[in-house]
Amino acid sequence: MVRIAEISGGNPFYALELARAIHVGSTRAQPSLPATLAELMRLRIGSLDGPAGDVLLAAAAIANPKVEVLAQVVDTTVDHAVELLEEAESKGIIAIDGDRVRSPTRCWRRASTPTPARRDAGHAPGPV
């Protein structure tokens, strides 16, 4: 608890995220904790790759993302986009609120910075 308070600097959201990061079954007395909130979010988001990561990356690039728009961006159906977003929602990264995607913090946007190849693929022309 003391380490969480020290690392989080009193930020309650960061403290909760750090507490969530500690593996409950860990036998280590001093579990390894990320030094920054961005690093912590990067670890959570990093577990989402492939299509789920693509739709999350698209959501991070849009100010007020809507599920229908995200489906168009990643070239899939709305139902499939919802399935992909639910994976991120189950990890507490985002929340699906009707047709909108919300996040408790904008940190996930910074943490979902794409690699140059992934960024270029996002700018590739789609079907006409």
Side-chain angles (χ1 to χ4, degrees):
M1 292 282 279
V2 173
R3 285 196 61 228
I4 289 174
E6 289 171 352
I7 294 170
S8 69
N11 179 328
F13 174 78
Y14 191 10
L16 288 171
E17 290 300 312
L18 286 167
R20 225 183 249 156
I22 295 174
H23 188 262
V24 176
S26 177
T27 57
R28 295 179 58 189
Q30 292 286 328
S32 175
L33 294 172
T36 66
L37 183 55
E39 181 183 347
L40 177 61
M41 294 305 290
R42 219 176 270 113
L43 288 171
R44 287 182 56 198
I45 293 169
S47 66
L48 297 171
D49 37 353
D54 292 343
V55 74
L56 190 60
L57 182 60
I62 299 171
N64 294 304
K66 288 186 171 185
V67 175
E68 184 177 347
V69 172
L70 296 174
Q72 291 173 356
V73 169
V74 298
D75 194 29
T76 192
T77 66
V78 170
D79 289 342
H80 188 238
V82 169
E83 287 176 23
L84 296 171
L85 289 165
E86 285 173 342
E87 186 176 346
E89 186 177 42
S90 72
K91 295 178 184 294
I93 297 168
I94 56 105
I96 303 168
D97 183 13
D99 67 340
R100 297 203 179 269
V101 176
R102 305 210 187 277
S103 173
T105 178
R106 290 192 179 260
C107 185
W108 68 281
R109 292 178 190 270
R110 268 196 347 213
S112 60
T113 303
T115 63
R118 197 168 192 190
R119 184 182 55 241
D120 291 346
H123 290 286
V128 179

